[in-house]
Amino acid sequence: MDMKNSTFINRLKCLRELNNRNLNFINIDLYKLIIREDSLVAGYEKINSNKGATTFKKKEKKDEFLEIKNKKRLKKLSLSLGNESWRPNPARRIYSGKSGKPKKPLKKKEKEKEKKHPFFFEKVVQSSMLMILEAIYEPIFSKNSFGFRPGKGPHDALKCIEQTFHGMVYAIEGNIKGINHNGNHDILISLLEKRISDDRFIRLVRKMLNAGYLELGFTVIKKNPDMRTSQRSIVSPILANIYLHELDGFMWDLMEDLTVRNNKIRTPVYKKLDNEMLFFFFNTNRLKKLELKSIQVAMKKKEKKKKSIRVFYTRYADDFIVGIAGSLEFSTDLKSKIGEFLCCLQLTLNPEKTKVTNIRKHYAFFLRHRIKIDTAVNKAYVTPFFSEKKTTPEKKKKRVTGHLVSIEPPINSIVLHLFSKGFCDHSGFPTPNKLWTSQEDNQIINNFNVTIRSLFEFYSGAKKRHYLNRIFYILKFSCAYTLAAKHRCSLNKVFIKHGKMLTVNYGPQGEFSTFLFQPSLKRSDRKWQVGRKLDDPYQLLFF
C-alpha cells in the first residue's frame, strides 16, 4: 500500500481495535472518512489488481493512468460525495443467451446468468465502504460463519464440521431462500444503525440499495425496498453477512440454552467405589481381573447421567447445517424455531433444500460434500491397561473411537454434472466435448487441466478420495475422445501418438509441450485448503 494511504489504513486499524475491545461500540463520523481522497485512492488500489475492474487504453500504463486521469476523477468524486450530490448509476443487467437467438430474460429454472457491471465511481466507493464495514463487523461476526469473509473459505467450514460433529445423530440441512432478492432494506438499515451513528453514511448505503438496474440496456428499473438488496456488487456479501448475523446470534444463544453436557453425577456410593479403585491401583502389584471387573460393574450401576443434548451450527453464505445429538422430535422443533426466527427477518427457508437427516444412516449435503457419521469402523487390537504382565501381552479386539465424521465427494452428483456439460453420457461413459474440438490440441489439454485441477483441489480434504478415480477416468478419456474427434481418428491412434498422459507438442518447431495433469489421491496427501477462497468448480467456465 502506498504511503499516501497510511493515514486511512491506520484509521481502519484503530477502528477495528475499538470494535474488538468493545462489542457494543457505536461508530461515528464514518462519512468523513469515506469522502477523504486517500480513502478513495485506497479503494481504487484494492480493485486495481482485478483484471477488467477498471478500463485502460491499450498502450497506456496503469501508473500513468492513475496519476493523470484518475487523480482528477477521484478528486471530483470526493467533492461530490462531500456535498452529497453523487448518486450511484444503475447497474447493467446482462443475460447470456444462445447464439442465433434473441436475448430474453430467462427464468431461474433455465439457468439465468446475471452479471452486473458497476461503473468506475461505484466500484471505488463500494471498495472503500467494504474496508470500513469489515473493520467494524469482522470483530463481532460469529466464528461459525465462514462465507465471504477474509481469510476464510469453504474448507474452513468443512474442517470445523469434521472436528465438531462427533456423536451427532441428526443434521438440519438449511438453505435461506433468496437472501439477495428477499432481504428487506429497512431491516438492513436498522441493523446498520445499531453500530453506526452517522446519518450521511446510512443515506449513502440506502442510495446504493435503491440504485436499480438497466434492463437490456434501456429501462431503469427501481427496486422495491421491501423486496431486494443489491446483488453481485462489491459490498453485497458483507451486507448479507450483516443481515444474517442475527441468525448466527440467535443460534449461538440457542446452543448455550439447549446444550446439556454429559456430566456424571457422583453419588456417595460412587465415590466410595472410586476410592476402592484407587486403593487397588496404588497398593497392589497385581490386580485381580475379576475383582476389578466387579467394582467397575458396580460403579456403572451407581452412576447417573444427564440426558445428553448437543447442538452445533455452521453457516456459509445462505447455506447452513446444524448437527444435533438428540431426538428426532427435538430436531424438527429446532427446525421450526429457525424458520420462525427467519420470518421475523422477512426471510424464508427453502422447503426443497431444508430437511432433517439422520446422518448415521443417510448422507447430509453441505458445500457440495456429503457428510455422514461412519458407524462401520473396523475393530482394532488393543492391549488392556490392567492386563497381567506376560512375555506376550494379551490383546483384545475393541472398537476404537474418533474420526467418525466422514466428509466425502458426491460421485454421482459430479457424474451427472459432467453429463450436463458434455463430458460423458448419463451412465458415466466418456464422450468427446464437442465445444472444444475446434481448438488447438494444447488448448484442449489446458482446458481439461483447468477442470481437473479445480475439481480435485475442491475435494482435496475429503475422505475416500479414491472414489475420484472414476472422475479422472471420465475426464481423461473425454480428452482423448475430443482429440480423436478433432483429428477424425481412432482412440487407439491418439494414445499411440500422444502417450498415456496425452502429451502434446506445440510451437513453431514443437519446442513446447503440455500433458494431462494427474492428481494424487493418496491418503497422505489429504489436506483441507484452509484460509483460501476456492472457486466453485461447478460454475467455472471450463466445467
Side-chain angles (χ1 to χ4, degrees), residues 92-96 103 113-117 214:
R92 292 177 295 188
R93 192 176 188 181
I94 300 175
Y95 299 94
S96 60
K103 295 183 179 181
K113 293 183 180 179
E114 180 182 292
K115 296 181 181 179
K116 294 190 175 180
H117 304 279
L214 293 174

Side-chain angles (χ1 to χ4, degrees), residues 7 48 87 317 401 414 473:
T7 304
N48 193 23
R87 293 188 178 277
T401 58
I414 299 174
Y473 165 80

